[in-house]
């Protein structure tokens, strides 16, 4: 039996809501045993810093000087992740010395695969110093350098999880709805993955505009409105949906501009229906029919989105908890698993998940130098 390591995965997704931190025991191949996990919400100040970084990254020319707003966001982001690690260790009753690695995704502030550019901020060396634990970060660059899309990056974990879950009838689709939505088709032999379209991001931004809140909690606003069928049909004409995978998106690729003229409730309803319809269209690209959708990520709490999705597909849609998974922490668990794979030189992506020509490893290891005193 392969040696199991304790690894912590850290994920800050495109929803910009906070940090998911998950402790797992894994061999980086077939075995993953979930341990303690927690969520650390970002403050309003932290969310504002990250949104400023997104805007600054979008405006920055290739080779341009990185603005101070991004550097400040990176340092603060790293420090908040170190705090999350400390909280998780305390809750789990585990010392830092017992943790082999941290899988540190960082925060994506730019993803333009057509330009061969992806950018995740987060200082891996600083995180290693602050926590006293070796860190693996920069998971996506090697894949993009090899010609891949650099996303999505959780599919190998989705496949390992699905194939070890009793009672699942393959093939299934593992759906993650964060700021952007992505899907992994898990067959008996095949793994296929791609971004399906918008996730929560346009809905969250609409809620902030009209409710002054970071999300439409439980889809309450959307459920009070009516879907504008004409606007929805125009939104679905976007050529991205017909494009064959592999394909991936930036958080800013889909906004709420198409529904801007609608009332707050109707705009929320139409945005939720748009996300659901774009997810349903993903099945056009599956190599064979699936038995069910398994839904992870914050989007599964949006009752308007979930209801619309169930009406749009012909097979069951189940939240991750129904099959014994932790739907809030799948992505964090995935980056723990990928950190273990990276340390062993195993592939993190496949031609069928990102479009890289060959299975591609990656990640950058930052070792904690125990001769140094941790920063305050």
């Amino acid at each position: 039996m392969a040696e199991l390591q304790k690894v912590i995965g850290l994920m800050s997704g495109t929803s910009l809501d906070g940090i998911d931190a998950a402790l797992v025991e894994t061999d980086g191949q077939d075995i993953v045993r979930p341990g303690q996990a927690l969520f650390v919400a970002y403050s309003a100040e932290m969310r504002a810093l990250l949104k400023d970084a997104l805007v600054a990254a979008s405006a920055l020319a290739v080779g341009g000087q990185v603005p101070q707003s991004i550097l400040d966001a990176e340092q603060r982001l790293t420090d908040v992740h170190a705090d999350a690690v400390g909280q998780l260790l305390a809750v789990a009753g585990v010392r830092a010395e017992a943790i082999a690695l941290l899988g540190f995704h960082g925060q994506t502030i730019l993803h333009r695969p057509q330009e061969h550019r992806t950018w995740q901020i987060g200082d891996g060396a600083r995180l290693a110093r602050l926590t006293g634990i070796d860190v693996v970060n920069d998971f996506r660059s090697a894949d993009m350098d090899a010609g891949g899309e650099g996303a999505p990056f959780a599919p190998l974990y989705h496949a390992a999880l699905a194939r070890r879950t009793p009672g699942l009838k393959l093939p299934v689709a593992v759906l993650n709805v964060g700021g952007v939505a992505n899907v992994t088709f898990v067959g008996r032999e095949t793994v296929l993955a791609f971004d399906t379209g918008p996730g929560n991001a346009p809905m969250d931004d609409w809620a902030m505009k009209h409710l002054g809140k970071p999300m439409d909690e439980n889809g309450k606003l959307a459920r009070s409105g009516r879907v504008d069928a004409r606007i929805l049909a125009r939104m679905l004409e976007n050529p991205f949906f017909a494009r064959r995978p592999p394909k991936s998106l930036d958080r800013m690729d889909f906004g709420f501009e198409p529904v801007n003229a609608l009332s707050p409730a109707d705009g929320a309803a139409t945005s939720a229906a748009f996300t659901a319809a774009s997810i349903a269209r993903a099945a056009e690209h599956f190599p064979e029919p699936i038995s069910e959708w398994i839904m992870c990520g914050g989007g599964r709490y949006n009752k308007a989105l979930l209801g619309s999705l169930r009406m749009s597909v012909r097979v069951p849609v189940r939240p991750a908890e129904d099959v014994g998974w932790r739907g809030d922490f799948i992505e964090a668990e995935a980056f723990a698993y990928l950190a273990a794979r990276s340390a062993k030189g195993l592939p993190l992506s496949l031609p069928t998940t990102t479009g890289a020509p060959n299975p591609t490893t990656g990640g950058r290891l930052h070792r904690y130098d125990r001769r140094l005193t941790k920063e305050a």
Side-chain angles (χ1 to χ4, degrees), residues 265-283:
D266 290 354
T270 304
S271 290
F274 177 45
T275 291
S278 62
I279 290 168
R281 286 198 59 180

Side-chain angles (χ1 to χ4, degrees), residues 38-123:
L38 56 78
F39 171 72
V40 178
Y42 285 143
S43 65
E45 176 192 12
M46 187 73 235
R47 287 197 300 272
L49 279 174
L50 292 176
K51 286 188 176 180
D52 288 347
L54 285 168
V55 172
S58 295
L60 186 64
V62 176
Q65 183 174 355
V66 178
Q68 191 62 43
S69 61
I70 292 180
L71 298 176
D72 291 345
E74 180 168 59
Q75 179 169 323
R76 181 66 183 137
L77 177 91
T78 304
D79 293 351
V80 173
H81 275 73
D83 291 342
V85 171
Q87 290 182 47
L88 181 60
L89 292 174
V91 169
V94 177
R95 294 173 59 87
E97 291 80 4
I99 306 299
L101 294 166
L102 300 178
F104 179 30
H105 175 267
Q107 180 67 55
T108 299
I109 60 170
L110 183 76
H111 186 72
R112 293 179 180 168
Q114 69 278 10
E115 300 174 12
H116 304 289
R117 298 172 66 195
T118 191
W119 190 356
Q120 288 75 42
I121 57 172
D123 187 336

